[in-house]
Amino acid sequence: MKVRPHHRRTAVVFGCGVILLVLLRMLNHSLSPWALSVWCGGLLVTFPALRLGPQQGFNACFLLGLMLDALSPFPFGLHAFLFGVAHLVIVRIRNRLPANEPVIVIVVTLVTNLVLFVLITFFALSRNSGAHISVVRLLSDLVLSQITIVLIGGWFLALQERALEIARVGLHDEPSAMI
């Protein structure tokens, strides 16, 4: 049975996302003695939203959200829902953006990550009404996350492009996926 190219694109982008999640979990384990953490959900959403077809990108974002849901203490489906909504918003505005420009992609990633971080933080704060979470801790995690995106964002976007080429389902194969 032959797998269709659009299914392979989704699988390749999902696989790259899993690689990023594993690397970020290792980084967070290393940062835990200093009570710091990094969250780069925006990196998981931006490439599929800007470069893949709408359905392929949504499928990849939703699956990556489900993967994060399986690893988080939040209700199952929260990350998948937020990633899906973020994907839809980016798809709606992507025709106005030069999506092939790395700087623009990184800026979109930073804004997406900021919005997702704030939404998940508000959700966490609403669930922990008795627990106190330091504003300094939240801000330091956000700043560290944004710096991490600036440092590894280009690498991760190039990894996804190259992985699609290796899987022989590059973006040039489907006109609807290009912007």
Side-chain angles (χ1 to χ4, degrees):
M1 182 168 93
K2 188 172 182 177
V3 179
R4 294 185 179 138
H6 60 275
H7 294 308
R8 283 195 287 167
R9 281 188 191 99
T10 301
V12 167
V13 170
F14 176 76
C16 290
V18 170
I19 290 170
L20 179 67
L21 289 174
V22 168
L23 292 173
L24 289 175
R25 288 185 64 87
M26 291 181 348
L27 177 62
N28 283 333
H29 179 74
S30 299
L31 293 173
S32 64
W34 295 286
L36 294 172
S37 65
V38 171
W39 193 81
C40 297
L43 267 177
L44 299 172
V45 175
T46 305
F47 182 85
L50 288 176
R51 302 300 304 275
L52 297 183
Q55 186 63 51
Q56 298 166 24
F58 182 83
N59 292 345
C61 291
F62 193 78
L63 288 172
L64 289 166
L66 290 176
M67 174 71 91
L68 273 177
D69 284 329
L71 302 170
S72 77
F74 299 121
F76 193 74
L78 176 69
H79 288 93
F81 173 76
L82 291 175
F83 281 17
V85 170
H87 174 270
L88 293 174
V89 169
I90 294 171
V91 165
R92 295 287 292 172
I93 65 168
R94 76 180 182 177
N95 290 334
R96 299 179 199 118
L97 301 171
N100 292 330
E101 292 293 325
V103 173
I104 299 298
V105 176
I106 296 298
V107 169
V108 171
T109 304
L110 289 169
V111 171
T112 304
N113 197 65
L114 173 68
V115 170
L116 290 172
F117 185 90
V118 168
L119 289 174
I120 290 172
T121 299
F122 281 142
F123 185 80
L125 291 174
S126 71
R127 292 195 62 191
N128 295 334
S129 58
H132 298 287
I133 298 177
S134 170
V135 174
V136 174
R137 163 78 195 272
L138 291 174
L139 288 176
S140 63
D141 285 351
L142 177 60
V143 169
L144 188 59
S145 298
Q146 300 294 69
I147 290 171
T148 302
I149 287 174
V150 169
L151 293 176
I152 69 167
W155 164 81
F156 185 64
L157 297 169
L159 172 73
Q160 292 177 70
E161 289 254 2
R162 184 68 179 133
L164 288 170
E165 289 174 14
I166 290 171
R168 296 189 188 132
V169 287
L171 298 174
H172 62 280
D173 297 336
E174 184 178 339
S176 66
M178 298 182 92
I179 300 176

